[in-house]
Amino acid sequence: MYFLILIHADLAETLIKNFSDLALRGSILMAITLTFPTDLGFMESFIYPSFHGVHLKTVVRDSMLFHPDKCVDDILRVVRICNNMCCNWLGKNSMILLVPIATLYPIYQLISLLILMLRLTFSMLYFLLWKFLAVTVPPIKNMEKKKKEYKEAKKILSLICDRIGTSNDTYTMPLIEAVRKGIYEVVDEILYTSPSTINCKDKEGYNILQLAIINRSEKVYNLISHIIDHKMSYRRRNDSYENNLVHLAGRLAPSFVLGRTTGAALQLQRELLWREEVTKLLSPKELLSENIYNETPTMVFTREHQDLMKEGENWMKTTAESCSITAALIVTIVFAAAITVPGGSNQESGLPLFKNKIPFTIFAVFNAFSLFTATTSLLLFLSILTTRFSEKDFLVTLPRRLIFGLSTLFLSTMGMIVAFCAILFLVFCDQRPWMLALIAAFACLPISVIVCIKLPLLLDLIQSTYIPIFGQQSYLESCKVNRKTTIFKE
């Protein structure tokens, strides 16, 4: 059945509508849950055009300018503010200066309309360009196919849940499996169709909140966060071993969850973020409670993550050492280039012979820039190697130092290459400008290598450190959640 969804979505939809017994089988919903396609990733979402969303937001926001009541209120508000300011500066007879403000509003309205039309035109052109690239460029074609499969799967999922209705027995296993795998679309649709399934438990007695914490399903956790605010029993419910929610967050995440994050240090950072988030749900007294093994949540976290912490320390040291070697080489090269003046110096004044040349000025500026940024990068990497590597350091301190160290290393490499290209142009390309193209082509080679090797790591660090994983929901999801909130209130 699910094969039809991916290959012939229209045919699968027709079969479900005409043969309702297919949808009533729990195996169909479980099959969809196990093979539900993923949405676009972090980087893919920046490239993929949200055509409908751009138009909707643009029209809603800019159309407010053309509401007469709102326009009058805005004009009067501006007149009052300007009047008060002018009275303070110019005196009480300054009201005559405010007369043109009301007459200028039609011009402002016309300019806003032109801006709206330009924005819609550019978004339309971008959308048409994307559709052209989706046919000719294989990576973008795969991205378009992935997005299409995701939309079709959501459509079929909604149709099946509507056919099933509010049958709890059919939803139990697919809901539990969706929570474990972090498929928040299935969880959202099931909870919206059958709100009473919020009380479902697995064979070990864990509810969906506990399962979301154990399996680190942040999207599911964000989806049911409003339920946590209204159901106090969910926060204080312990398992058979007297483990509260923070005890469960202290467990080591499953291997398939850890594998989603690059590097042991970032894996430990993600575990620390989960512990901090779940800690907010309980009172300070509950954070010190012990399970049947007389372990507090802190003791559980330390015991479960001691191996991961050692791996994270080794990973961080290895990365810092390799980058510090590169930074040291750059410092050596650019420092030697700074004290060795290209072209020589004047024997009488000691000034460089090429001091009035623009390429020499570019060389001097970028060489100094490369020296300073490489030195800063080297100091940052050395500070990583000499840190104490405690648990809290992996949360923000160490990733932030590595981010700034890698950023300054990129900048120093680019500055060194620009300085080298400038001096090559000055020395060799005076009479042969065609050599500039060769120099620029060769200069792109080391830049592309370092970008391909280190840029993915830098992006992963920035995403893991500065982009929150909790409390993030799209507009449509938040609308559906708000409609369900009143149902789950105690």
Side-chain angles (χ1 to χ4, degrees), residues 146-208:
K146 184 178 180 181
K147 190 67 176 180
K148 182 180 179 181
E149 291 179 354
Y150 177 76
K151 291 181 178 178
E152 291 175 348
K154 288 188 67 175
K155 183 178 180 181
I156 298 298
L157 173 65
S158 178
L159 182 61
I160 291 177
C161 290
D162 288 340
R163 294 292 178 179
I164 294 176
T166 59
S167 177
N168 292 351
D169 296 335
T170 307
Y171 289 127
T172 301
M173 294 305 297
L175 177 63
I176 292 173
E177 190 64 28
V179 173
R180 286 174 176 170
K181 293 185 175 296
I183 309 174
Y184 74 99
E185 297 90 350
V186 177
V187 178
D188 186 23
E189 193 65 39
I190 292 177
L191 290 180
Y192 179 69
T193 306
S194 179
S196 58
T197 54
I198 189 65
N199 298 314
C200 289
K201 297 180 181 180
D202 67 350
K203 296 180 180 179
E204 298 180 358
Y206 293 118
N207 57 36
I208 63 172

Side-chain angles (χ1 to χ4, degrees), residues 318-339:
T318 303
T319 305
E321 286 175 357
S322 62
C323 293
S324 61
I325 294 174
T326 307
L329 289 174
I330 294 175
V331 170
T332 305
I333 293 172
V334 298
F335 182 78
I339 62 177

Side-chain angles (χ1 to χ4, degrees), residues 24 58 76 137 141 217 239 254 287 317 345 358 380 437 482:
L24 294 177
T58 302
L76 293 177
V137 181
K141 185 177 180 180
S217 304
D239 63 3
L287 298 178
K317 285 183 177 180
S345 304
I358 295 178
L380 287 171
N482 289 335

Side-chain angles (χ1 to χ4, degrees), residues 1 35 60 66 100 104 116 161 212 271 273 346 379 430 450 462:
M1 181 63 186
T35 56
V60 170
F66 307 101
L104 289 177
L116 172 62
C161 290
E271 294 288 277
L273 289 173
N346 192 321
L379 294 175
D430 190 16
I450 193 172
I462 294 174

